[in-house]
Amino acid sequence: MKPRVKLWDRYFELAMDEAQIQERVQQMARDMERDYLGKRPIFVTVLNGAIHFASDLTRNFKDKCDITFVKYSSYKGTKSTGTLQCSLGIQESIFGRHIILLEDIVDTGLTIAGIFEELSKQEPLSIRVATLLYKPKAMKHTIQPDYVGFEIENEFVVGYGMDYNGLGRNLPEIYKVSED
Ligand code: 5GP
């Protein structure tokens, strides 16, 4: 039986272990180093969920870069509410810069589409989206992530920054909701 955790009323079973996640994040950092050689990109971390992804990815990115944060939310419990609210906008000037948006997970695409539109108003030179997890079957927007760690089924996951009503962000592994 797979290792499980209980958060509030739900059980979650192991989906990806720490070694698997770290290996993939390091590969993604290598890909970005190659694509952004000498370009000093700005990593825009989407709080709270992308904290660990951003931390591990940027520590493995061995070229010059900036790191900053934004905070938007659309989720309540295990469901997307369909509207996006900004509680921390970008503080730096991004005019003429290369942006890499760091997301924990792309589900319906509402969050990346909304943030992409907001950031575009400041006329950066480019914006690309990097997400650790992508649920292609849940996608409702035309925008596609440029860097994807893992594609997953349309199921609710926690751990490695992602929460279930506030719990589970500190887990180093990723777990998916289990039926019992
Ligand atoms: P989207 O806007 O693409 O529908 O959803 C993106 C945001 O919703 C993610 O940044 C994340 O905060 C949250 N989210 C989407 N799917 C999941 C999931 O399976 N688990 C958790 N914990 N959060 C999710």
Side-chain angles (χ1 to χ4, degrees):
M1 203 170 130
K2 289 193 170 165
R4 297 201 310 173
V5 291
K6 188 179 184 202
L7 303 173
W8 302 113
D9 55 330
R10 312 287 288 261
Y11 284 96
F12 296 85
E13 63 179 40
L14 187 68
M16 285 167 211
D17 66 25
E18 221 180 326
Q20 233 180 317
I21 299 168
Q22 293 300 330
E23 193 187 330
R24 185 69 190 114
V25 172
Q26 283 169 23
Q27 283 169 354
M28 293 173 85
R30 292 290 87 74
D31 291 345
M32 292 177 201
E33 266 171 28
R34 188 195 58 223
D35 296 348
Y36 288 87
L37 193 68
K39 291 184 174 168
R40 191 182 155 187
I42 307 181
F43 287 102
V44 177
T45 310
V46 184
L47 294 174
N48 296 328
I51 46 165
H52 299 313
F53 177 46
S55 169
D56 289 336
L57 184 108
T58 56
R59 277 182 298 170
N60 280 286
F61 183 88
K62 306 291 185 200
D63 201 359
K64 292 202 171 62
C65 66
D66 295 72
I67 304 171
T68 188
F69 305 90
V70 294
K71 189 170 183 177
Y72 289 79
S73 56
S74 65
Y75 250 67
K76 203 171 170 46
T78 60
K79 296 269 178 318
S80 173
T81 61
T83 54
L84 196 63
Q85 295 195 333
C86 172
S87 47
L88 175 67
I90 191 122
Q91 307 292 305
E92 296 79 2
S93 166
I94 57 168
F95 176 80
R97 300 290 303 274
H98 292 286
I99 303 300
I100 308 175
L101 204 52
L102 298 181
E103 255 284 45
D104 50 353
I105 181 162
V106 174
D107 182 41
T108 65
L110 175 79
T111 309
I112 53 162
I115 300 176
F116 195 99
E117 200 183 314
E118 273 307 303
L119 298 184
S120 299
K121 291 177 188 163
Q122 288 198 42
E123 299 181 31
L125 213 50
S126 69
I127 308 178
R128 281 188 182 158
V129 176
T131 186
L132 181 68
L133 302 180
Y134 178 37
K135 297 182 191 170
K137 290 182 187 150
M139 191 62 165
K140 292 186 181 149
H141 291 258
T142 50
I143 182 168
Q144 294 291 316
D146 302 279
Y147 301 93
V148 173
F150 304 94
E151 287 194 1
I152 62 166
E153 288 301 314
N154 201 358
E155 51 201 2
F156 190 77
V157 294
V158 294
Y160 196 65
M162 293 168 281
D163 75 314
Y164 171 45
N165 281 335
L167 294 181
R169 290 196 201 279
N170 56 327
L171 295 165
E173 309 87 11
I174 294 173
Y175 294 79
K176 63 181 181 184
V177 74
S178 89
E179 288 317 310
D180 38 39

